[in-house]
Amino acid sequence: MTGVTALNLEVAPKRLELMHELLPSVTSMALLVNPAVPALAEPISRSSQAAAQALGLQLHTVHASSDRDFDAVFERLTQLRVGALVIGPDNFFTSHSEQLAKLTVRHEMPAIYEFRKFAAAGGLMSYGSSETEYYRLVGTYAARVLKGDKPADLPVQQSTKVELYLNLKTAKALGITVPLPLSGRAGEVFE
C-alpha cells in the first residue's frame, strides 16, 4: 500500500539510546543491518553511529541478508565482545523477528528491534511505530481510494505513534534489572 509510511530512520538512534539507558555500563554495541537494502542500511548506520558517538559508545555494524548469515553474525558479536545488539529496521528482519529473538536469547545477547512480536517472542525490547496506528492509516487510505479519491491526490501519511515493549522474563534470564523509569514508559511488559 502506498501513501502510508512508518517511523524507521527517525527512531533508530532512540533504540540505541534505550539500550544505553538499560545497560549504562556497556560501552560497545552492535547494529545489524541488511546490506542488500542500502537505501535503508546506510542512513540507519550513519544516524546510529552519530548517536553512538554522542553517547560515548563504540558501535560495530554487522550484516545479514539471508538466514545463513545469522550464525556468522552471532559469532562475530562474540568476537567483538559487544554488550548489546540493535537490529535495524528491514522487512527481512521483520519476517525473521521471532527467529532473531530466539537467537538473541540463546546467545545471551540483549537486543532491541522495532516490532512488538520481537519482544513477545523473547527478545529483550522493541521500540518503533505502532503497528495498530500504521494499519489504521492504511485502512483509512484504502477507504478513501475505494470511495473514489485518486491516490495521486492523497497526501502521504506517516504513523507517528511509537511504542516500547519490554520482556522482563528475558531481562531476568540475562541478569538485567530494568530501571523503573524505563519499564514505566513501556506500553506492554511481558513477564
Side-chain angles (χ1 to χ4, degrees):
M1 172 58 86
T2 62
V4 180
T5 185
L7 296 169
N8 286 322
L9 178 60
E10 300 83 357
V11 298
K14 185 66 176 178
R15 289 187 196 102
L16 187 68
E17 290 174 29
L18 288 166
M19 287 304 283
H20 182 61
E21 182 179 346
L22 180 64
L23 304 166
S25 64
V26 170
T27 59
S28 181
M29 296 187 189
L31 171 68
L32 176 62
V33 295
N34 182 354
V37 187
L40 189 55
E42 291 170 9
I44 294 292
S45 295
R46 279 193 305 274
S47 66
S48 296
Q49 283 291 348
Q53 187 175 21
L55 293 167
L57 299 172
Q58 182 177 21
L59 185 66
H60 303 274
T61 302
V62 293
H63 302 98
S65 55
S66 74
D67 300 28
R68 297 179 306 277
D69 295 335
F70 291 148
D71 288 335
V73 163
F74 283 92
E75 183 177 315
R76 182 75 177 134
L77 296 177
T78 301
Q79 292 169 352
L80 293 169
R81 297 179 186 232
V82 298
L85 174 64
V86 177
I87 301 170
D90 187 89
N91 287 334
F92 170 68
F93 299 146
T94 299
S95 68
H96 291 81
S97 62
E98 291 178 17
Q99 178 184 1
L100 283 167
K102 289 177 178 142
L103 285 167
T104 62
V105 170
R106 182 175 351 133
H107 292 276
E108 299 179 347
M109 178 61 60
I112 186 168
Y113 188 54
E114 70 178 315
F115 292 120
R116 177 188 181 277
K117 74 179 184 176
F118 177 77
L124 180 60
M125 285 195 298
S126 298
Y127 181 78
S129 289
S130 165
E131 289 180 277
T132 303
E133 182 187 27
Y134 176 82
Y135 287 116
R136 183 188 58 76
L137 290 172
V138 168
T140 302
Y141 195 92
R144 289 184 66 184
V145 170
L146 292 172
K147 289 180 182 177
D149 288 351
K150 293 180 185 176
D153 295 338
L154 296 175
V156 173
Q157 297 179 45
Q158 184 171 47
S159 172
T160 57
K161 182 180 179 184
V162 291
E163 297 173 325
L164 172 65
Y165 298 99
L166 291 168
N167 190 314
L168 293 183
K169 181 180 177 184
T170 300
K172 184 177 180 179
L174 295 172
I176 297 170
T177 301
V178 178
L180 284 176
L182 185 60
S183 63
R185 294 194 315 263
E188 187 175 357
V189 175
F190 301 99
E191 297 188 59

